[in-house]
Amino acid sequence: MRIDVHHHAIFPDYVSRLAELGIGAQPGIPLPGWSAADSLAMMDRLGIDLAVLSVGSPGFYFGDAGLARELCRKTNDDLAATVGARPGRFRAFVALPLPSVEDALAELDRVAAGEAFVGVGLLTNYAGRYLGDPAFDPVLEELDRRGSVVHVHPTLPVHYPAAEIDLRPSLIEYVFDSTRALVNLTLNGVHHRFPGITWIFSHCGGTAPYLAGRLAIAEPLPELARVGDGGVHGAMRSFHYDIALATTPYALGSAERLVGAGRLLIGSDFPFVDEGTVRACLTEAAEVLGAGPMEVVARDNPARLFPTLTN
């Protein structure tokens, strides 16, 4: 079974509520249209058997905890209904209304045990707080207790040089924010403190594979003391990574050299990424990795991470 772990569902109620607030996918960029039928058609044409759905950026928190709670609840219900209609083709990651820890734990209790869900989807930061922030420890403790798979999707940092770099921020800022989140978790020793969590980072972990050696050189510094046994390389090799939009020899090749094919997973980023680009990326990934390792990435690794999904 070929499984896509980075695949978005964008529901009409979510789009309309964000439109009321003047919020799109990112500044000046509207959310793309989506339907389950669109996803299924793309999956059929590209040989993807099952997609794990999530919402991703811009998420749910826009300064109003009550709205975030409402949006997450409705989104999780919509995800469950979508999976329920086609359980052989879809599963989902639970959306959580962080930064409210209390609301996140309540929503996790409400829906996480449902058959539709195979893990939890988190963003790299919530109002500028990254996932290793001690304030989020109660959520990580619960995810650890449950043995959860957690997919981390990038979002915009609180501050970025919008005026100086005239590009839609997803092109570089998302990559940098994935790096920030991964390094933040590593510096806080989260991989040791919460070993029951299986982490999947989007886009091959951003620039983290490139920076691994630079950070490892700095391990004697006091600010890296909590990284723990195995150091930076050990921490990064304990995580998993989807390959969405990161399939070139100098991106995927770097990640594969660092962590091996056994830590990589297919990701499409559909519908934020169009079908033609997804096809080209999957073809490129197969060329970079080779046919055998690509099958490990597409089939063996998700079967290990999601044992309830049978062939």
Side-chain angles (χ1 to χ4, degrees), residues 5-20:
V5 304
H6 186 159
H7 195 116
H8 298 293
I10 306 170
F11 298 109
D13 286 348
Y14 175 79
V15 174
S16 64
R17 290 304 303 274
L18 265 60
E20 292 171 4

Side-chain angles (χ1 to χ4, degrees), residues 188-304:
N188 283 285
V190 167
H191 54 297
H192 289 307
R193 294 193 294 121
F194 304 110
I197 300 175
T198 298
W199 296 93
I200 304 171
F201 289 91
S202 299
H203 309 300
C204 282
T207 64
Y210 167 82
L211 291 172
R214 185 181 179 93
L215 291 170
I217 290 170
E219 285 174 355
L221 297 176
E223 55 262 45
L224 277 81
R226 296 187 72 188
V227 174
D229 294 342
V232 170
H233 286 164
M236 291 191 183
R237 289 169 180 151
S238 74
F239 303 139
H240 293 75
Y241 305 84
D242 77 50
I243 66 173
L245 286 182
T247 56
T248 63
Y250 31 91
L252 178 55
S254 178
E256 193 275 334
R257 287 289 297 273
L258 176 64
V259 305
R263 292 282 171 169
L264 304 174
L265 297 139
I266 281 181
S268 69
D269 211 353
F270 185 83
F272 290 97
V273 176
D274 66 272
E275 181 180 326
T277 301
V278 175
R279 181 187 297 277
C281 284
L282 292 177
T283 299
E284 184 175 51
E287 292 170 352
V288 171
L289 295 173
M294 187 64 183
E295 283 302 289
V296 171
V297 172
R299 298 180 187 274
D300 298 352
N301 294 342
R304 173 170 49 84

Side-chain angles (χ1 to χ4, degrees), residues 107-252:
E107 186 63 8
L108 194 61
D109 282 342
R110 187 180 77 88
V111 299
E115 292 185 2
F117 298 102
V118 294
V120 171
L122 298 179
L123 295 178
T124 46
N125 82 83
Y126 293 89
R129 286 185 169 183
Y130 287 83
L131 299 176
D133 190 306
F136 296 145
D137 276 4
V139 175
L140 299 187
E141 288 169 1
E142 180 61 15
L143 294 173
D144 178 72
R145 185 187 71 80
R146 291 172 179 264
S148 299
V149 176
V150 175
H151 183 265
V152 181
H153 191 277
T155 191
L156 290 180
V158 173
H159 303 290
Y160 66 95
E164 288 77 18
I165 300 177
D166 188 19
L167 287 173
R168 58 184 65 192
S170 61
L171 292 175
I172 58 173
E173 294 300 332
Y174 279 16
V175 177
F176 297 151
D177 220 54
S178 288
T179 306
R180 292 185 190 100
L182 192 157
V183 172
N184 170 264
L185 289 172
T186 299
L187 293 179
N188 283 285
V190 167
H191 54 297
H192 289 307
R193 294 193 294 121
F194 304 110
I197 300 175
T198 298
W199 296 93
I200 304 171
F201 289 91
S202 299
H203 309 300
C204 282
T207 64
Y210 167 82
L211 291 172
R214 185 181 179 93
L215 291 170
I217 290 170
E219 285 174 355
L221 297 176
E223 55 262 45
L224 277 81
R226 296 187 72 188
V227 174
D229 294 342
V232 170
H233 286 164
M236 291 191 183
R237 289 169 180 151
S238 74
F239 303 139
H240 293 75
Y241 305 84
D242 77 50
I243 66 173
L245 286 182
T247 56
T248 63
Y250 31 91
L252 178 55

